Amino acid sequence: MTDPMTDPMTDLPMTDLIVCTALGMEARAVARGLRSRPDPGSDHPRVRVVRMGMGPGRAARAADLLPPAAALAVTGFGGALHDGLRPGDVLVATEVRSGDRVWPCPSAPLLAGELLRAGLPARTGPLVTSPRVVTGRGRHALAREGAYAVDMESAPLAAAAGTRPFAAVRVIVDTPDAPLLNLATMGGAVAARRTLARIGPVLARWAAATGPRRVLLASPRSFCAGVERAIEIVERALDRFGAPVYVRKQIVHNIHVVRDLERRGAVFVDDLAEVPEGAVTVFSAHGVAPAVREEAGRRGLRVVDATCPLVAKVHAEARRFAARGDLVVLVGHAGHEEVEGVLGEVPGAGVLVEDEAGVAAVVENVPRGRGVAYLTQTTLAADEAGRVAAAIRRRFPDAEGPRGDDICYATTNRQHAVRAVAAEADLVLVVGSANSSNALRLTEVAARSGHDGAPLARLVDGPGDIALDWLRGARTVGLTAGASTPGAMVDAVVAALGGLGPLEVEERRVTEENVEFTLPKEVRP
């Protein structure tokens, strides 16, 4: 039920969410958007909109008189301080500041992500509450302190929220270059009102996702030894040789890792033709075909090889099988860099099989009397790869597999760990990039491993990718990360979930990992 209010002294019954605004036009816009929600029903959160009046004094008095509510939000117009904000943009506060006090808003990434999916130009950053309208040099001073936007009401509401979920969302109407008392700025307020109407339903979804929950952390998770080694190789190359250092393909399949290394001076390329002759060049953890190494030699590149030693093992096995005349059947996914590198070792002697159905096609390509051997991509789901390997052995009883399990220890351990948490979870979140094979396989394993049917399992790059509807009713959330995902991204998800209500975090550890790999001689201390 939506009940727009203009008198904060009205005695209201308990609601799920109170949305506070300073101005009547803001309150009416938010209420209009809430009324237009599709399929309103009794299961939707009860939201009340309260107009407080303008300024911190009125906001503080209103805050003292607010009726009980499970969650509290403040929205309306705001002024930009950050150069990247323009009229019409939406700022979701990561924290609210006033004087020397700071109130964190940990669920901001979740809310900003939902606003972006709703088509609004949202971003996150600090919001400062001022006792008066700030102009000119005052704005520049606040910007130098790191604040993104300014308002006059959020701090008293943040203080009143206490331990309840709290959100502050501001639609930018003026900037340092376009001051508040300006005809163009006032005209932009009309568009800002339309944006406020669209913010209302998103705040309702945010409120529906609040509440106490438990997070089960799968362990091991995040970086494996091969990924840590590859990243350290690029970092050491930058320290030793200076920027730029060129990296063929993504060093590991994670956008956060890639962006961080780019900021330090790494340049990622798809083809060696993009690398200047003689430049320092790192081969990614996924390995390369011999033809790539030969090209690098012809162009005089100073190569540092970050191929994971476990991937290098598969390369060596492929060469061994091919040298004795076998057809090498590689179980893996087409287009993956590891697959391209392994097949490049055995031109004309290798074939890719992606699933059990693909095994039948191999039979037609094997001359009578030729031996068959098989290998697997290191980042596959162990159960799925096992089924394909069994299908190969049924067709070719004499087929020889690798001397040891190709699927790497880290992939296997993370899959065992995610099964342990999926068995208890309503929702499983796998943190990793969409091009990460091991993260994708973790998501698939989680979806097959739940109790009473599979739990909802979703791959996310960070908290901003988590749809609020997934969290509605999900009181136990399983959480893990692919082997190429920084642990800080898992921490960011936990922090964001903690902004939705009381959070109990438990770890489910299935094994310890103590594997270490040596660095190539080019970057050793």
Side-chain angles (χ1 to χ4, degrees):
M1 177 178 66
T2 302
D3 187 3
M5 302 296 296
T6 58
D7 183 2
M9 297 184 67
T10 303
D11 185 19
L12 301 176
M14 179 68 174
T15 58
D16 296 309
L17 170 66
I18 291 179
V19 181
C20 297
T21 70
L23 305 176
M25 69 171 70
E26 296 168 333
R28 288 189 292 273
V30 174
R32 184 170 62 251
L34 288 166
R35 284 194 295 268
S36 66
R37 278 180 293 174
D39 304 320
S42 59
D43 62 333
H44 281 257
R46 297 179 300 275
V47 183
R48 293 185 181 274
V49 182
V50 174
R51 178 176 67 81
M52 306 172 293
M54 189 171 176
R58 290 186 176 92
R61 288 191 292 273
D64 289 339
L65 298 171
L66 284 177
L72 187 60
V74 58
T75 191
F77 305 148
L81 301 172
H82 191 279
D83 289 340
L85 287 172
R86 294 290 177 265
D89 289 350
V90 180
L91 180 79
V92 183
T94 53
E95 62 184 31
V96 174
R97 303 173 182 174
S98 179
D100 59 356
R101 296 198 63 185
V102 177
W103 294 270
C105 305
S107 69
L110 300 170
L111 189 48
E114 197 78 5
L115 289 165
L116 285 168
R117 286 185 289 275
L120 294 172
R123 64 185 303 174
T124 59
L127 174 69
V128 62
T129 293
S130 169
R132 62 188 64 85
V133 175
V134 183
T135 59
R137 285 181 294 183
R139 286 207 178 189
H140 293 297
L142 291 175
R144 285 194 296 271
E145 295 174 3
Y148 276 43
V150 61
D151 72 1
M152 297 174 63
E153 296 85 24
S154 289
L157 273 300
T163 59
R164 291 175 293 174
F166 173 76
V169 183
R170 289 294 180 179
V171 182
I172 300 302
V173 293
D174 62 302
T175 69
D177 298 326
L180 185 61
L181 301 178
N182 177 288
L183 286 177
T185 301
M186 299 305 289
V190 176
R193 286 170 60 190
R194 290 195 293 268
T195 299
L196 279 175
R198 297 171 64 188
I199 288 172
V202 176
L203 286 172
R205 291 199 292 276
W206 172 77
T210 60
R213 55 175 45 88
R214 181 174 61 143
V215 169
L216 303 179
L217 283 176
S219 184
R221 62 184 177 274
S222 297
F223 283 170
C224 65
V227 166
E228 289 179 340
R229 174 181 181 270
I231 295 169
E232 185 177 359
I233 286 171
V234 179
E235 292 172 339
R236 285 179 175 267
L238 286 166
D239 290 341
R240 176 162 295 186
F241 305 111
V245 165
Y246 293 84
V247 184
R248 184 184 180 275
K249 307 292 186 180
Q250 291 189 353
I251 185 67
V252 296
H253 286 158
N254 186 271
I255 190 61
H256 302 287
V257 171
V258 169
R259 287 173 180 167
D260 180 60
L261 292 174
E262 283 178 333
R263 285 191 290 268
R264 302 187 193 193
V267 178
F268 293 87
V269 299
D270 287 326
D271 194 282
L272 289 185
E274 303 171 60
V275 181
E277 290 193 9
V280 176
T281 306
V282 178
F283 290 156
S284 80
H286 307 104
V288 299
V292 176
R293 298 181 187 277
E294 292 165 6
E295 181 185 358
R298 287 194 302 271
R299 302 191 63 243
L301 303 181
R302 302 170 66 184
V303 170
V304 185
D305 190 356
T307 300
C308 175
L310 299 180
V311 174
K313 166 187 168 293
V314 181
H315 281 242
E317 293 277 16
R319 292 192 299 269
R320 180 173 70 87
F321 289 142
R324 71 185 190 190
D326 288 353
L327 177 70
V328 180
V329 180
L330 178 62
V331 183
H333 293 290
H336 193 279
E337 290 150 39
E338 181 183 331
V339 167
E340 293 173 353
V342 174
L343 292 179
E345 295 279 4
V346 290
V351 61
L352 177 66
V353 168
E354 296 195 76
D355 50 32
E356 292 176 78
V359 176
V362 176
V363 178
E364 302 173 5
N365 298 318
V366 182
R368 185 180 299 275
R370 185 177 188 183
V372 172
Y374 66 90
L375 299 165
T376 59
Q377 183 180 329
T378 62
T379 54
L380 298 182
D383 53 356
E384 192 172 15
R387 288 194 296 269
V388 180
I392 293 171
R393 290 192 298 270
R394 285 194 298 271
R395 292 278 187 167
F396 306 99
D398 295 329
E400 183 179 347
R403 288 173 175 166
D405 191 355
D406 280 346
I407 296 176
C408 87
Y409 77 94
T411 298
T412 301
N413 289 346
R414 280 150 188 73
Q415 290 172 12
H416 287 330
V418 81
R419 288 190 187 97
V421 301
E424 301 179 53
D426 305 310
L427 166 70
V428 176
L429 297 174
V430 179
V431 187
S433 293
N435 64 337
S436 168
S437 177
N438 67 78
L440 288 167
R441 302 294 83 76
L442 277 174
T443 310
E444 294 167 357
V445 169
R448 296 194 294 263
S449 304
H451 61 87
D452 298 329
L456 183 66
R458 291 290 185 264
L459 177 66
V460 297
D461 234 330
D465 290 340
I466 301 172
L468 292 173
D469 284 346
W470 302 345
L471 297 171
R472 187 171 185 168
R475 291 299 168 232
T476 300
V477 176
L479 182 59
T480 189
S484 52
T485 304
M489 297 312 301
V490 177
D491 296 340
V493 170
V494 172
L497 294 177
L500 297 175
L503 197 68
E504 178 185 352
V505 180
E506 302 175 20
E507 189 168 52
R508 294 285 188 272
R509 182 173 294 277
V510 299
T511 189
E512 298 286 344
E513 291 181 349
N514 52 18
V515 176
E516 293 183 6
F517 296 129
T518 59
L519 296 170
K521 63 180 184 301
E522 295 86 356
V523 294
R524 287 178 196 157

